[in-house]
Amino acid sequence: MAFLFKSDPTRGQIWRAAFARQVPEVEFRTWPEVGDAADIRYLAAWTVTRELMESLPNLEVLFSVGAGVDQLDLTQVPPHVRVVRMLDPGLTESMVEFVCLSVLSLHRDLPHYRQAQGEQRWAPLVPAAATRRRVGVMGLGNLGRASLAALRPLGFQLSGWSRSGAAVEGVRTYAGADAMPAFLGACDILVCLLPLTGETRGILCRKSFALLPRGAAIINVGRGGHLVEDDLIPALEAGQLSAAIIDVLNVEPAPADHPFWRHPRIWLTPHVASRTRDDSSADVLIANIVRHKAGLAMAGEVDRDRGY
Ligand code: NAP
Ligand code: GLV
């Protein structure tokens, strides 16, 4: 029985050592040194190709090395293969840091001060109280909930939107498409932490921006496909949005002529809001292999019909 690793080589060394300590009976192989492909039962990867999938006849579980799975293109993955996303506590911690940093930056008008500094303008604004600032999170999964829990002690008015609208302590929750206008209408700062699926692609667009209060700001830490990129600058120029923190793009890295590079009200970061941590993720993945071998449910298994 073998595990095939197809990801960052440094992470591979750490995972290999963890496998040797914790599950020595599972042989650790690193792509492209597949060996006898018939031995491979488990694969961990960020992306896969049809060719790779077809070359692994006995694959049982595909582990995403990230929290999201859209980049795996599940149409290439045979239906009997179980797909599991990464529930790494280290990744969650980093996302919480990034969301808090971004929300506080927008709350305290840092895009305004950065632009003013560039223009050598001393332009103080009266800071709003956090208790008057409405922060809404789209996606109340692992990352959305953890981010809201960290924002809560700062005093913001918090809301969250998801398919089910499941309750979150201290957060006003909204469920499904029908509740989206009410949810958006009460967000001064909107955070996108949705998975990218057929239903959520393009959800940050001219139409949804128009439902936000005038001058709202957005943070996209989901996927580039959530944002209709052509709609962002017009909304900023019209004053419907005041600023945007964009960590993910449709095409990464951003091409040199991408208009977001130079817009003063867009802060662009290179898909760094969070990343799987090499050490903590090894333990999470190995625990799932142990559970799978024992016939138990794995943490983070994806519902392939829902796409997340
Ligand atoms: P998750 O636990 O699967 O949670 C997904 C949430 O989105 C759930 O609350 C779900 O609703 C909601 N949702 C899904 N489809 C919806 C729809 N059509 N309408 C309304 N709500 C919907 O995901 P997660 O672990 O929190 O991760 C979220 C995403 O973050 C990942 O998929 C990935 O794309 C992104 N991410 C980005 C970075 C980065 O560095 N920028 C890093 C890690 C992850 P229910 O609760 O009702 O099911
Ligand atoms: C990163 O974007 C992830 O999905 O883990």
Side-chain angles (χ1 to χ4, degrees):
M1 176 186 293
F3 168 87
L4 182 62
F5 175 84
K6 180 176 177 283
S7 179
D8 174 68
T10 308
R11 175 178 298 156
Q13 284 174 9
I14 292 166
W15 282 23
R16 180 184 285 282
F19 268 67
R21 278 194 311 273
Q22 298 183 44
V23 279
E25 70 282 9
V26 181
E27 192 186 335
F28 190 97
R29 296 187 191 160
T30 303
W31 184 86
E33 307 301 327
V34 178
D36 183 352
D39 299 338
I40 307 290
R41 298 283 198 280
Y42 305 106
L43 167 66
W46 175 250
T47 56
V48 294
T49 58
R50 180 179 294 274
E51 209 180 19
L52 175 63
M53 287 293 106
E54 286 173 355
S55 72
L56 303 175
N58 296 320
L59 185 69
E60 292 178 33
V61 187
L62 168 58
F63 293 100
S64 169
V65 295
V69 293
D70 56 287
Q71 72 285 348
L72 285 167
D73 185 2
L74 297 183
T75 61
Q76 309 293 336
V77 181
H80 68 272
V81 173
R82 294 164 73 177
V83 178
V84 178
R85 65 204 179 81
M86 178 56 74
L87 294 182
D88 167 29
L91 181 149
T92 305
E93 252 174 54
S94 308
M95 182 57 82
V96 166
E97 287 171 4
F98 194 91
V99 170
C100 289
L101 171 77
S102 302
V103 167
L104 285 170
S105 298
L106 295 170
H107 169 57
R108 294 307 312 270
D109 304 305
L110 288 193
H112 162 82
Y113 293 120
R114 204 170 143 193
Q115 187 176 0
Q117 182 179 350
E119 295 161 3
Q120 292 184 253
R121 279 191 299 119
W122 194 260
L125 300 174
V126 178
T131 48
R132 297 182 68 86
R133 191 76 81 184
R134 297 166 298 175
V135 179
V137 176
M138 302 176 103
L140 298 176
N142 201 36
L143 302 177
R145 284 168 177 265
S147 301
L148 282 160
L151 289 168
R152 203 173 155 210
L154 297 171
F156 293 112
Q157 291 179 37
L158 300 174
S159 61
W161 180 76
S162 67
R163 254 155 68 121
S164 60
V168 180
E169 204 184 340
V171 176
R172 176 161 189 194
T173 55
Y174 297 81
D178 290 349
M180 202 170 146
F183 164 72
L184 291 175
C187 290
D188 300 315
I189 298 174
L190 175 68
V191 181
C192 176
L193 261 172
L194 289 164
L196 184 61
T197 66
E199 286 182 20
T200 65
R201 183 174 290 282
I203 200 160
L204 301 174
C205 62
R206 193 172 47 85
K207 242 171 93 180
S208 52
F209 297 156
L211 293 168
L212 291 165
R214 188 167 173 79
I218 65 162
I219 299 166
N220 188 16
V221 281
R223 286 283 188 261
H226 287 129
L227 173 68
V228 176
E229 291 181 5
D230 286 348
D231 289 355
L232 182 58
I233 291 179
L236 289 162
E237 302 290 305
Q240 179 56 23
L241 295 182
S242 56
I245 296 182
I246 303 295
D247 182 58
V248 282
L249 288 177
N250 268 304
V251 175
E252 297 174 359
D257 61 350
H258 198 293
F260 290 3
W261 283 120
R262 279 171 294 277
H263 197 281
R265 289 304 178 119
I266 298 175
W267 287 11
L268 191 58
T269 49
H271 200 143
V272 290
S274 185
R275 184 182 188 272
T276 296
R277 280 199 195 143
D278 297 342
D279 46 3
S280 49
S281 61
D283 295 341
V284 171
L285 188 124
I286 290 170
N288 262 339
I289 290 183
V290 170
R291 293 182 69 80
H292 180 258
K293 283 177 7 126
L296 299 171
M298 292 175 285
E301 186 160 353
V302 169
D303 175 336
R304 293 192 55 180
D305 292 330
R306 272 188 340 188
Y308 72 97

